Amino acid sequence: MDSLKIICPNGHLGFAPLKVESFRLGVAAKPDFIAADSGSDDIGPVPLGSDGCASPKAWQEHDLEQMLLASREIGVPMIVGSAGDTGSDSRVDMYVQIIRDLAARHGLAPFKLGWFYSEVDKETVRAKIASGSPVQGLDARADLDEGELDATDRIVAVAGVHPYRALIEDGCDVIIGGRSSDSAIFAAAALSRGFPEAQAYYLGKVLECASFCAEPYGAKETVLGEITRDWVEVTAMHPGQRCTVASVAGHAMYERSNPFHEHVAGGVLDMTDCRYEQVAEKTTRVTGMRFAPADDFRVKLEGAGKIGERFVGMAGIRDPYTIAHVDEVIEWAREQTRERFGETGWALHYNVFGRDGVMGEMEPLRDRPGHELLIVVQGVAPTREMAEEVAMTGTRQLFYARLPDVKGTAGGVSFVFDEVMPASPGYRWTLNHTMAVDDPLELFPRHTETVGA
Amino acid sequence: MTKTRLSELAKTIRSKNAGTDKITFDIIFREREAYETVKRSGAVSRDAMARLFGIDEARITDFVEYDPAYAIKFTILRRRPSGSPGDPDIFGAQQYAPLLDVEVETA
């Protein structure tokens, strides 16, 4: 095979629905694979910790239906990675069931469905630490200790190409993956057809966010990637978009600490000496990528742990004197909460929109607040009842804050709601680490079945 | 001496999470000339960015001038992981705004 084509319709399947027009243009270009990633850690730790989704099921079904019908129509494999935003086992099962249901509803001819899981049991990680193999922290985190492991509710391992290759080489027509490196699902398809690692991983890197590598800006549009032994080309499918040298090279740095290296399970894609060339109006060709295999095989782990139940309140301020003293108002409300609940065992978080709500301490203009402020209050505590009361105290006491020279003594803040609202529980990312494994497949159990009439 | 705002020179100025613990900033120019001008000016340097955002330089983990894309890119460590209670910007997508007004010596 001299070249291989893959289309990607969505950079985060389900987060917003794919656009059908450019997807159908991509299908008409006769790709050899249709693939999309569904996961992200951008969505925060709540979906992983609580084993839920960030996206409505209807949007996920929409994209899976488009991809499945196209894949069966033109007879090429379809691959989806990081099922259901997090790739947890329950999300993989949910996607597998959606595929079965879609096959039945559309009366599809039999096809082979394969899937793999990526959740890691806490005891597996504990045993690894006990064996003397440190679970190393990424991004300035310390190595994992047992306390942080105990504080974790759910862990997923981030798969590389290996479980995908195993399922492709097993003849699967539709593959649903657990948590995965975004680029791995595309790279696996290219590697399974014999293309070199450097080009294969670059193909994955450039396709994973779909039309984010094209211009003008427009998300959820299909792009087509083509790989040979020598180069990777990427072409925008939307009639109004182009893949240019600037848009493709610019994409190399998107969401990454630096634009030169992309770490995957088993090695590093080196883009330092990549060359970009406009070879057609909508197509850019990339050459010069390299791949360096790693000495030891380490798998990235993501973990989320619950902090507590959470309620949210909101309060507005218009009085300029109160705005100038907003930190004292907040401290008053905190103090009332301390009097009720003591020093520890609960938390209040205040984001003061109109001053530094978006940027916090990094806001250069925090000494220049707007003429009105919105304070968003989060109360976190072990039980829902206590979280509601913490949030209520932290919000309502803003109304009663005692400022010495305030003119308006009938109430210090405005309320859109004189209540606090239930929110998702508070979670935090507990693991952003890597763990050594002996076998690239050991954390990713695979299954297959024949689906269809 | 002429000064021009960075937002008038760059095609794209954006911020976004790079994993759970970092936010990365991209400043991308359409032409080499504007890119080289900004590089030469020193207006977007590691220490200028630390001063602009009021952070210790040690929190800037990467600072890269990326010639193939006419881009300057830097990455900072978050104070707490994305999405923890109190984090107002789970995606890190609105942290770039102070860059728009950075003044660059253009002549």
Side-chain angles (χ1 to χ4, degrees):
Chain A
M1 187 180 272
D2 297 332
S3 98
L4 174 95
K5 291 189 281 193
I6 304 180
I7 57 169
C8 175
N10 198 333
H12 179 170
L13 184 148
F15 199 69
L18 69 82
K19 298 291 188 183
V20 175
E21 182 195 7
S22 63
F23 178 62
R24 294 306 307 179
L25 291 170
V27 175
K30 298 192 166 51
D32 300 290
F33 283 87
I34 300 172
D37 180 63
S38 176
S40 181
D41 53 25
D42 276 343
I43 53 182
V46 172
L48 179 61
S50 62
D51 206 14
C53 281
S55 306
K57 194 175 179 192
W59 297 356
Q60 305 186 41
E61 284 173 334
H62 171 270
D63 282 15
L64 291 170
E65 182 171 27
Q66 289 289 331
M67 291 175 69
L68 178 65
L69 294 183
S71 139
R72 296 303 80 220
E73 175 190 322
I74 61 173
V76 303
M78 149 188 172
I79 308 178
V80 173
S82 298
D85 303 314
T86 70
S88 74
D89 291 358
S90 75
R91 302 303 94 179
V92 172
D93 287 338
M94 184 178 96
Y95 271 30
V96 165
Q97 190 57 44
I98 290 173
I99 296 293
R100 291 186 187 117
D101 292 345
L102 286 169
R105 191 186 317 154
H106 292 283
L108 298 179
F111 59 88
K112 189 167 181 179
L113 171 64
W115 66 97
F116 72 84
Y117 296 108
S118 62
E119 270 189 38
V120 181
D121 187 83
K122 279 204 275 189
E123 298 317 310
T124 303
V125 180
R126 200 182 305 277
K128 188 69 75 169
I129 298 173
S131 78
S133 173
V135 175
Q136 296 171 354
L138 292 165
D139 301 336
R141 287 188 182 228
D143 290 355
L144 187 69
D145 60 30
E146 294 214 31
E148 200 65 347
L149 186 60
D150 290 337
T152 300
D153 286 289
R154 187 161 289 94
I155 303 170
V156 285
V158 181
V161 295
H162 312 85
Y164 289 103
R165 282 194 71 167
L167 290 168
I168 292 167
E169 284 153 24
D170 197 20
C172 290
D173 301 297
V174 176
I175 296 171
I176 300 295
R179 187 71 176 117
S180 314
S181 291
D182 303 350
S183 59
I185 61 176
F186 308 92
L191 291 171
S192 73
R193 299 290 188 263
F195 292 94
E197 284 172 312
Q199 283 75 9
Y201 282 105
Y202 191 93
L203 178 72
K205 168 75 192 140
V206 75
L207 286 181
E208 49 143 326
C209 283
S211 52
F212 272 22
C213 67
E215 64 176 318
Y217 176 79
K220 309 299 173 187
E221 303 291 355
T222 293
V223 294
L224 181 147
E226 182 170 6
I227 182 173
T228 67
R229 297 194 64 78
D230 304 313
W231 47 254
V232 170
E233 286 183 2
V234 58
T235 305
M237 292 290 106
H238 186 276
Q241 283 190 312
R242 304 167 64 215
C243 288
T244 65
V245 169
S247 72
V248 176
H251 181 71
M253 66 176 69
Y254 183 66
E255 292 182 322
R256 297 293 178 270
S257 301
N258 78 61
F260 302 124
H261 301 110
E262 171 88 348
H263 292 265
V264 296
V268 182
L269 171 66
D270 185 343
M271 297 177 278
T272 308
D273 295 321
C274 278
R275 290 179 298 280
Y276 298 82
E277 181 189 358
Q278 193 85 41
V279 292
E281 198 216 338
K282 297 161 74 73
T283 304
T284 285
R285 175 180 293 181
V286 190
T287 53
M289 57 288 274
R290 293 189 300 267
F291 186 79
D295 295 333
D296 60 341
F297 198 89
R298 302 192 69 84
V299 175
K300 184 181 169 192
L301 302 178
E302 296 176 342
K306 187 172 175 178
I307 298 171
E309 301 293 338
R310 178 161 60 165
F311 276 72
V312 176
M314 297 190 296
I317 304 179
R318 181 63 180 81
D319 180 317
Y321 174 79
T322 309
I323 287 173
H325 294 86
V326 62
D327 288 325
E328 291 157 54
V329 172
I330 290 170
E331 185 48 36
W332 165 267
R334 274 193 203 282
E335 183 55 35
Q336 304 311 302
T337 318
R338 272 188 213 109
E339 283 183 14
R340 173 78 176 87
F341 291 108
E343 294 290 330
T344 59
W346 54 274
L348 272 171
H349 300 275
Y350 290 92
N351 296 108
V352 184
F353 290 93
R355 185 187 65 174
D356 58 1
V358 174
M359 299 193 61
E361 89 291 353
M362 293 208 308
E363 173 60 68
L365 304 180
R366 70 196 312 253
D367 59 344
R368 272 179 266 172
H371 72 273
E372 62 180 25
L373 302 181
L374 175 73
I375 306 179
V376 174
V377 186
Q378 299 182 53
V380 182
T383 65
R384 285 176 62 79
E385 291 73 18
M386 184 174 163
E388 184 172 16
E389 199 185 331
V390 167
M392 183 59 99
T393 308
T395 306
R396 188 166 289 167
Q397 288 292 339
L398 299 170
F399 195 79
Y400 296 116
R402 296 177 187 175
L403 292 180
D405 295 321
V406 73
K407 305 284 183 194
T409 53
V413 297
S414 75
F415 287 127
V416 176
F417 309 96
D418 182 24
E419 62 185 291
V420 292
M421 293 159 285
S424 57
Y427 284 85
R428 66 186 174 88
W429 291 111
T430 51
L431 267 80
N432 178 24
H433 288 73
T434 65
M435 184 171 83
V437 293
D438 300 323
D439 174 357
L441 290 170
E442 74 180 59
L443 297 176
F444 307 105
R446 296 168 310 286
H447 303 267
T448 62
E449 72 178 35
T450 299
V451 174
Chain B
M1 191 168 75
T2 310
K3 294 206 168 192
T4 310
R5 284 168 11 123
L6 192 59
S7 58
E8 292 169 47
L9 296 167
K11 174 181 71 154
T12 300
I13 301 177
R14 67 189 178 195
S15 62
K16 185 77 198 294
N17 288 346
T20 59
D21 298 331
K22 290 176 173 174
I23 299 175
T24 192
F25 296 75
D26 302 339
I27 306 164
I28 307 175
F29 301 89
R30 194 167 283 288
E31 309 89 15
R32 172 180 291 275
E33 191 186 357
Y35 168 62
E36 296 291 347
T37 299
V38 173
K39 270 209 301 191
R40 260 198 319 270
S41 76
V44 183
S45 63
R46 195 183 270 266
D47 68 309
M49 294 301 97
R51 270 183 276 119
L52 179 67
F53 291 98
I55 59 175
D56 196 293
E57 248 185 84
R59 266 177 69 189
I60 302 178
T61 61
D62 302 78
F63 187 95
V64 177
E65 290 166 341
Y66 184 48
D67 293 345
Y70 305 154
I72 301 173
K73 179 176 182 65
F74 60 95
T75 303
I76 65 167
L77 282 172
R78 281 174 165 274
R79 269 182 75 216
R80 57 183 141 201
S82 67
S84 301
D87 172 23
D89 192 0
I90 292 182
F91 287 67
Q94 277 292 303
Q95 302 299 310
Y96 63 87
L99 290 167
L100 300 169
D101 293 331
V102 166
E103 291 199 323
V104 181
E105 221 171 280
T106 45

